[in-house]
Amino acid sequence: MQLFRCESCGHRVYFENTQCNQCGAVLGFDPDHLSMAAIRPLGDDRWQSVATGQHSDTLYRQCGNYSRHEVCNWLLPDTSQQGFCVACRLNQTIPDLSVGTNKTLWGRLEAEKRRLVYSLLKLNLPLTAKADEQQGLAFRFLADTAPQFNESGRVMTGHEDGVITLNIAEADPVAREAMRSQMAEPYRTMLGHFRHESGHYYWDRLIWNSAWLEEFRQCFGDERQDYGLALEALYSQGPAANWQDNHVSAYASAHPWEDWAETWAHYLHMTDTLETAYQFGLSLHPRVTEDSDKNIEQHFNPYFDTRIDSLLEHWLPLTYALNSLNRSMGHGDLYPFVLSPGAVRKLGLVHDVIHGAPLVA
Ligand SMILES: [Zn+2]
Ligand SMILES: [Zn+2]
Ligand SMILES: [Zn+2]
């Protein structure tokens, strides 16, 4: 993620901010330019950028979920016919906001969803709302009767035909941690869910019926094997003993579709985290005995770099440092994964598909 500057006073501001801490300017994220705008109201639902120069006469409206619910901080061009920003436009169902903590939980999910959408936009992936075209994407945020994982009538997180469903209990840290522990997962986050489920969506959109399909099958295996049986086997017998040799996670070993979604999510973890590191000027060359390296590569950009090897060269040392930093603070590993050569090969295919897409047969 980029770091942003307040257009009004130059102070550092962050992706989630709605106001500058330094000068009090109202902020909004402009998804068309992937930039943060400082805005002032014109009194008729329209807002004007306070910036001088490039965007000085740009007029905006706040996303409906910004102005009404304060669960979004994104903007639309004044000329747009839509009521919601490009991220909120993807929502098909939101929870009943009159019920208990639903609004708080939903707000947390929206914040993570925007981080996913940022990456999809930055990677230039096709992104349209199902409300606008059949092959578009949609989100449903559903609640069990109480915000917990309820055995009867449980809302299952998943993807089907362009619709991603999330149980809003995922936004409750106690419920999520209980589930993570029960499932013996090393990593479970809202953002991880969004990235994983988007992987299923983009498999349909970029791999299925495309020239990539054969290469996908060679790399990930044949997805025509029975999906239900494969998941059942994983849950009843556990993953294969040597799953680490070829998969980023134990769950990935269940079926080629899950392998793709897990690898895709992993790729998005890498690019976003690398961008954040570079925005802070972190040097990623471990020096065990020498002084730290002063020559940060200024032009490395994880979103546009064309070689997976180059991404990994930067990624692995960073993860060692991040894990060590976390442990210095008494936390577990930030990045509880080990990338085997087999998993790296699959990351390479995700990288190629993203940078080569669309490639329709
Ligand atoms: Zn400011
Ligand atoms: Zn929005
Ligand atoms: Zn999945």
Side-chain angles (χ1 to χ4, degrees):
M1 178 55 64
Q2 295 172 65
L3 285 173
F4 302 95
R5 273 174 175 280
C6 171
E7 289 180 327
S8 178
C9 73
H11 200 250
R12 178 185 299 162
V13 294
Y14 298 94
F15 185 59
E16 292 81 8
N17 289 166
T18 52
Q19 199 168 26
C20 172
N21 283 336
Q22 187 75 10
C23 73
V26 177
L27 304 173
F29 183 74
D30 172 353
D32 292 329
H33 300 96
L34 297 179
S35 64
M36 193 66 86
I39 49 176
R40 62 171 157 253
L42 291 178
D44 52 358
D45 280 351
R46 293 185 307 158
W47 295 72
Q48 184 173 30
S49 167
V50 305
T52 49
Q54 205 187 350
H55 301 306
S56 56
D57 40 15
T58 310
L59 294 182
Y60 295 106
R61 280 182 298 115
Q62 290 180 324
C63 169
N65 285 336
Y66 192 168
S67 53
R68 276 201 293 282
H69 301 300
E70 292 191 339
V71 298
C72 181
N73 66 343
W74 284 23
L75 304 170
L76 302 87
D78 167 52
T79 49
S80 168
Q81 302 298 311
Q82 305 294 346
F84 295 99
C85 73
V86 62
C88 293
R89 174 88 183 137
L90 304 173
N91 290 352
Q92 199 173 74
T93 312
I94 63 166
D96 181 348
L97 301 185
S98 66
V99 175
T101 55
N102 280 5
K103 186 177 165 187
T104 306
L105 298 176
W106 173 53
R108 288 178 194 154
L109 287 171
E110 287 294 342
E112 302 300 323
K113 192 190 79 187
R114 285 194 296 281
R115 199 167 267 264
L116 167 72
V117 171
Y118 169 88
S119 289
L120 302 179
L121 292 172
K122 190 132 186 175
L123 288 168
N124 215 13
L125 286 161
L127 183 65
T128 47
K130 210 168 192 50
D132 298 323
E133 63 164 340
Q134 181 50 33
Q135 64 169 347
L137 178 62
F139 288 91
R140 300 193 305 161
F141 299 117
L142 304 183
D144 281 328
T145 43
Q148 60 192 8
F149 298 100
N150 193 338
E151 282 306 323
S152 60
R154 189 173 136 191
V155 173
M156 298 291 289
T157 290
H159 165 267
E160 191 172 359
D161 192 24
V163 180
I164 291 174
T165 302
L166 253 97
N167 188 329
I168 65 164
E170 292 292 347
D172 177 331
V174 176
R176 186 176 63 249
E177 178 59 17
M179 187 53 111
R180 188 191 72 75
S181 174
Q182 189 189 322
M183 305 289 283
E185 295 170 344
Y187 176 90
R188 187 184 186 99
T189 65
M190 292 177 270
L191 184 54
H193 283 303
F194 280 116
R195 287 177 174 160
H196 174 102
E197 300 306 337
S198 76
H200 289 303
Y201 171 68
Y202 282 104
W203 190 89
D204 286 355
R205 201 144 175 188
L206 303 178
I207 304 290
W208 177 242
N209 262 339
S210 87
W212 292 108
L213 187 57
E214 266 322 299
E215 210 164 327
F216 167 82
R217 285 177 180 157
Q218 275 171 28
C219 190
F220 285 83
D222 193 328
E223 84 291 352
R224 289 168 292 190
Q225 59 188 277
D226 192 295
Y227 179 74
L229 285 180
L231 281 196
E232 235 171 69
L234 179 84
Y235 290 126
S236 60
Q237 296 151 33
N242 62 343
W243 65 263
Q244 286 98 335
D245 295 347
N246 283 302
H247 306 281
V248 292
S249 69
Y251 185 63
S253 69
H255 187 276
W257 279 335
E258 294 308 330
D259 199 5
W260 169 265
E262 285 286 271
T263 310
W264 174 277
H266 219 87
Y267 185 82
L268 296 182
H269 294 335
M270 284 171 52
T271 40
D272 189 47
T273 308
L274 279 169
E275 186 184 44
T276 308
Y278 268 83
Q279 287 284 305
F280 276 98
L282 288 180
S283 169
L284 308 180
H285 305 281
R287 289 288 181 272
V288 179
T289 54
E290 302 162 36
D291 287 345
S292 60
D293 187 43
K294 300 284 193 299
N295 296 317
I296 298 170
E297 293 167 56
Q298 298 293 343
H299 303 297
F300 172 74
N301 186 327
Y303 278 100
F304 301 111
D305 206 288
T306 51
R307 291 186 315 117
I308 187 71
D309 295 355
S310 154
L311 283 184
L312 287 162
E313 255 165 48
H314 293 86
W315 177 238
L316 294 175
L318 177 66
T319 64
Y320 307 147
L322 291 173
N323 284 350
S324 300
L325 288 169
N326 253 31
R327 285 179 179 273
S328 290
M329 280 301 295
H331 292 291
D333 284 346
L334 181 103
Y335 181 73
F337 303 98
V338 175
L339 290 180
S340 63
V344 165
R345 199 163 59 89
K346 290 171 177 170
L347 280 166
L349 184 60
V350 169
H351 179 80
D352 290 347
V353 169
I354 285 178
H355 289 279
L359 214 171
V360 180

